[in-house]
Amino acid sequence: MTETESIAYDVVVLGAGPVGENVADRTRAAGLSTAVVESELVGGECSYWACMPSKALLRPVIAQADARRLPGLAQAVQGPLDAPAVLARRNYFTSNWQDDGQVAWLDGIGADLYRGQGRLAGPRTVTVTGPDSTLTTLTARHAVAVATGTRAQLPPLPGLAEVKPWTSREATSAQETPGRLIVVGGGVVATEMATAWQALGSRVTLLVRGKGLLNRMEPFAGELVADALKEAGVDVRTGTSVRSVTRENGTVVAVTDAGDRIEADEILFATGRVPHTDDIGLDTVGLEPGSWLSVDDTLLVDGTDWLYAVGDVNHRALLTHQGKYQARIAGAVIAARAADTAVPDAPWSAYAATADHDAVPQVVFTDPEAAAVGLSLAEAEQAGHRVRAVDVEFSSVAGAGLYAEGYKGRARMVVDLDSETLRGVTFVGPGVGELIHSATVAVAGEVPISRLWHAVPSYPTLSEVWLRLLEAYRG
């Protein structure tokens, strides 16, 4: 291994996904020299194996489902999707797994890219082992930001490695439609990929260990999504665990705890994520390799004054948009501290990631879509808030009837009875993903019910559900 001389920067960022890119963007905008270290593709998980490819797969599925609910159009879209065309469009949105454009963007902001495995080597020091085994040492005058994300977690089933199961990466990058697919899990990846591959021609069996789907949302979200998956042809089995998995002559055989034997061409495990921190040198700074990194609201790792953990690695909100939000906060904090400027980190300041606690939005791109922000009713009650849930069916909204024949959906707002502001909002139904930002503004802005009453929704739109919710609350 050849070692080069040490190179000093103001900031060193480990990880060039959307989160690391945003940290670098903010620190460069503040005039701080910045190095970015990446062992895979610049653009990260979201660009190549998660957000972008999964939504590219799902968009034709949802568009066709919407069209089939419209008289005058339904008969024209009854045939199967053109799976090769859908996969080709997915490939386009991943830039065919080439990162030239993202590398050019980093170069355009003046950040220096180092390809290879980056590891901490003591305070403010990072070593990079390049593809040619060259060792480069980077030192940071002000901060190191860890933005290495997560990877899929596989269950400890004997022989699972030999089966070569799919994780989210294979599910979003596969170049052919499997005839039969087993999906293990009940969360976002499981439900979205079951939706996509069933529509693309797979015969999907969804095995869910718990009682229902999307258990981090309001219960009705998972119920409506499960009903729709069954209607689409997915074999949904709740309360079911996988006891063993083998591959026999190319066929996957999964045996459940009930003794059922299920055969498929591929099996996807969507059973959680673990932090990608096992091989980044955490032990050299007194932290445990493979652990989540605990941070304060400025994204500073507990017990340090130079190390930041941004995005999934801090386990606050495992969502790309939330990680990018944290990156903007962390970038502002790093820049201010580098300039010896005060960092007022009161809630909702420019230097505090307050939304991680109170206003995290998420959309699940199934059919129907499920979108939520803030706390569910159960979470609000467990947190000790005095709250009331208000529910309405979208069938009460003229815009829903115009959107689709037989539109099925439900909305809930969780009202804090002491402040008369919203603790959380959930929408389930076709097209509701575009509604959630209005709810995010209401929750993050702590907008009183009395003022929301004057935010008049346009008629006839799905947004008129807001009026129905407020009417139901006021009585």
Side-chain angles (χ1 to χ4, degrees), residues 41 83 123 149 164-165 191 193 208 221 225 234 237 246 296 331 354 378 381 401 403 407 422 454-455 468 472:
L41 296 177
K164 296 182 178 179
T191 53
M193 290 299 94
V208 186
V225 170
V234 176
R237 307 187 191 185
T246 55
D296 63 17
T354 312
E381 290 176 337
Y403 191 97
Y407 188 107
L422 304 186
H454 295 281
R468 299 291 170 254

Side-chain angles (χ1 to χ4, degrees), residues 55 100 287 428 448:
K55 303 323 171 267
D100 302 32
L287 298 171
V428 183

Side-chain angles (χ1 to χ4, degrees), residues 181-207:
L181 174 65
I182 298 169
V183 179
V184 183
V188 177
V189 172
T191 53
E192 288 189 347
M193 290 299 94
T195 299
W197 287 110
Q198 177 72 28
L200 288 169
S202 290
R203 196 160 69 248
V204 176
T205 302
L206 181 60
L207 305 180

